[in-house]
Structures are given as C-alpha cells and as structure tokens.
Amino acid sequence: MPRKGKKLISDNVVPNPQSTDEQGMPLRVAQRLPVYLRHLRELSEMGVERISSAELGALIGVTSSQLKQDLSYIGGFGQQGYGFRVDDLYEKLSQVLGLDQRCKLILVGAGNLGKALVNYDGFRRLGYHFVAIFDNDPATIGSRVGVMEVQHVDELPNYLRSYRVDIGVLTVPETVAQEVAETMVENGIKAIWSFAPVQLRLPGHVLVEHLHLSDSLMSLAFRLHYRRQQERQAKKEKTQEPAT
C-alpha cells in the first residue's frame, strides 16, 4: 500500500513479451541474449573457436533461423558455410549487454538472500558490483557483508543523491517493497531488480525485473505434478488394454 497522504505512483506495466525496448529489440530477444552469452563463454573456455548457427542454436534450444534473426538486431554475425567466431560473437554480445562497463548496484534487505547475492562472485566477473547495502534491522546494521558495512535504510536517500547507482536490488518483505522502491525512484534509481513477492507499481520510465522465486518453484512443482499424472494415466490405460 502507498504511504498515507502520498499519491500512488503510476503502474509499472508488466512487459508484453512482444514489446520492444528503446532500440526496437523485442523483449524476448533481449531475454535470450544473456543465454547466448553464457553458452559462448562456456564454448570459449572449452577452446572452441568456431561454431555453426545450427550447433549454437541446438545448445541454446532455438532454431538456426531464430538465432540468426535474434543476432540481426545487433548487426548480425557469421558467414555462410563458416559459422561464428566464438570469441568475436562473445565480445560483441558483451558490449551490447553493457558488460564492458562497470555497473553499480545497491541492495536493500541484508537477509540470507541479500547476503548471497552480494557475495556471489559471478556478478563481479560480469562487471556488476554491489557498492552499498541497507537494512532496518538493528541487529544487522553495522555488520559486514563482504567488504561492505550494512547501513540503516534511512541513509538510502542521502546515499543515492551522493553517488551514482545504476540498479537497485530489493530483497525485502512484500509489506515494505513498494515503499522502498518508491524511495529508490524518488532519488534517481531508474532500474530495479526485485525479489519481493509483490508486483511493484512504479512510473513507466522505471525498468523493473521481477524475480518471484516462489512462482518459479510452484511452476516447477506443477510441471512435476502434471507429468506424474500423465504417467499414472498412461500406466492405467496400459493395464486396461485387452490381452492379445
């Protein structure tokens, strides 16, 4: 709920998968680029120098034509009968995704999930650096997470006005997520990565990536439940088949 006496900030609409970003790239394509990058990094580490569009597409789970169409949004690569140079494509995708620039993040919510994110070295290798962490728990404030000291969340506005921050990360309970997100936006944050189990309502110019862990787990559990039902049904039908 919005704070008392405060006008509700306009909705941040859930992106349509068919919508495009500021550069005219479909959202689904933008979501696949990090997957391409991850596989290219693995191929490079294995010593693979070239790979065909069919081989790369098979690794990722898309067709060769879909792969080529996706890459056409960043200029297109590869030659007929030659394929892609793995390192060249990796470098280009890294630039497109902004990995050649240092990205600064702050985190609000120094619980177990927040600490795990801050301590994950994989983010640093990709150029994502947590520069500050905030919480409202007296027992947590002043403690250290990695090299950072946890600051009181009341210091968040002053910090954001004093330092450049690219992305705000939320690992707070749903009851306070909206208020913290609004504080971030009011003090210059234009991109939020939220793990809070609630849909944030923010201005349309603010980029929001919601990652609802419970939704993902429930989706997986549903698929498992459905598969088991199908297997039981198939087994039942098999036992009911007339003997020949």
Side-chain angles (χ1 to χ4, degrees), residues 45-113:
E45 291 172 351
M46 293 167 56
V48 178
E49 295 182 358
R50 296 190 183 92
I51 189 169
S52 69
S53 59
E55 291 170 330
L56 183 55
L59 283 175
I60 296 166
V62 299
T63 64
S64 173
S65 59
Q66 181 66 70
L67 175 69
K68 292 176 181 177
Q69 182 178 347
D70 288 353
L71 296 181
S72 70
Y73 287 98
I74 62 172
F77 282 85
Q79 300 176 13
Q80 186 70 30
Y82 183 83
F84 300 99
R85 289 187 59 85
V86 171
D87 288 345
D88 289 349
L89 184 54
Y90 179 85
E91 182 178 353
K92 178 62 177 179
L93 280 175
S94 295
Q95 293 173 354
V96 170
L97 292 169
L99 301 185
D100 57 337
Q101 303 175 28
R102 180 185 173 94
C103 184
K104 296 182 179 181
L105 299 82
I106 57 99
L107 180 138
V108 179
N112 291 333
L113 176 57

Side-chain angles (χ1 to χ4, degrees), residues 176-205:
V176 297
Q178 179 67 37
E179 181 175 350
V180 175
E182 290 181 11
T183 298
M184 288 182 173
V185 173
E186 290 165 358
N187 291 279
I189 289 290
K190 294 181 173 59
I192 294 177
W193 192 24
S194 176
F195 290 80
V198 62
Q199 199 72 22
L200 299 175
R201 299 163 65 86
L202 299 171
H205 73 275

Side-chain angles (χ1 to χ4, degrees), residues 106 134 153-165 183-189:
I106 57 99
F134 301 85
V153 71
D154 288 349
E155 298 298 322
L156 179 61
N158 183 58
Y159 184 93
L160 293 177
R161 288 192 294 265
S162 301
Y163 301 97
R164 180 184 70 82
V165 175
T183 298
M184 288 182 173
V185 173
E186 290 165 358
N187 291 279
I189 289 290

Side-chain angles (χ1 to χ4, degrees), residues 95-219:
Q95 293 173 354
V96 170
L97 292 169
L99 301 185
D100 57 337
Q101 303 175 28
R102 180 185 173 94
C103 184
K104 296 182 179 181
L105 299 82
I106 57 99
L107 180 138
V108 179
N112 291 333
L113 176 57
K115 291 175 181 176
L117 293 173
V118 170
N119 288 322
Y120 178 54
D121 191 55
F123 293 143
R124 287 188 288 273
R125 291 199 301 269
L126 290 172
Y128 301 110
H129 298 269
F130 284 94
V131 294
I133 182 169
F134 301 85
D135 204 285
N136 66 349
D137 181 5
T140 301
I141 296 166
S143 64
R144 303 195 75 82
V145 179
V147 298
M148 292 175 291
E149 181 177 305
V150 179
Q151 303 177 55
H152 196 289
V153 71
D154 288 349
E155 298 298 322
L156 179 61
N158 183 58
Y159 184 93
L160 293 177
R161 288 192 294 265
S162 301
Y163 301 97
R164 180 184 70 82
V165 175
D166 300 297
I167 297 174
V169 183
L170 283 178
T171 54
V172 298
E174 59 184 295
T175 53
V176 297
Q178 179 67 37
E179 181 175 350
V180 175
E182 290 181 11
T183 298
M184 288 182 173
V185 173
E186 290 165 358
N187 291 279
I189 289 290
K190 294 181 173 59
I192 294 177
W193 192 24
S194 176
F195 290 80
V198 62
Q199 199 72 22
L200 299 175
R201 299 163 65 86
L202 299 171
H205 73 275
V206 180
L207 301 173
V208 181
E209 185 75 19
H210 292 95
L211 187 54
H212 297 165
L213 298 179
S214 58
D215 289 359
S216 178
L217 180 58
M218 284 190 288
S219 177

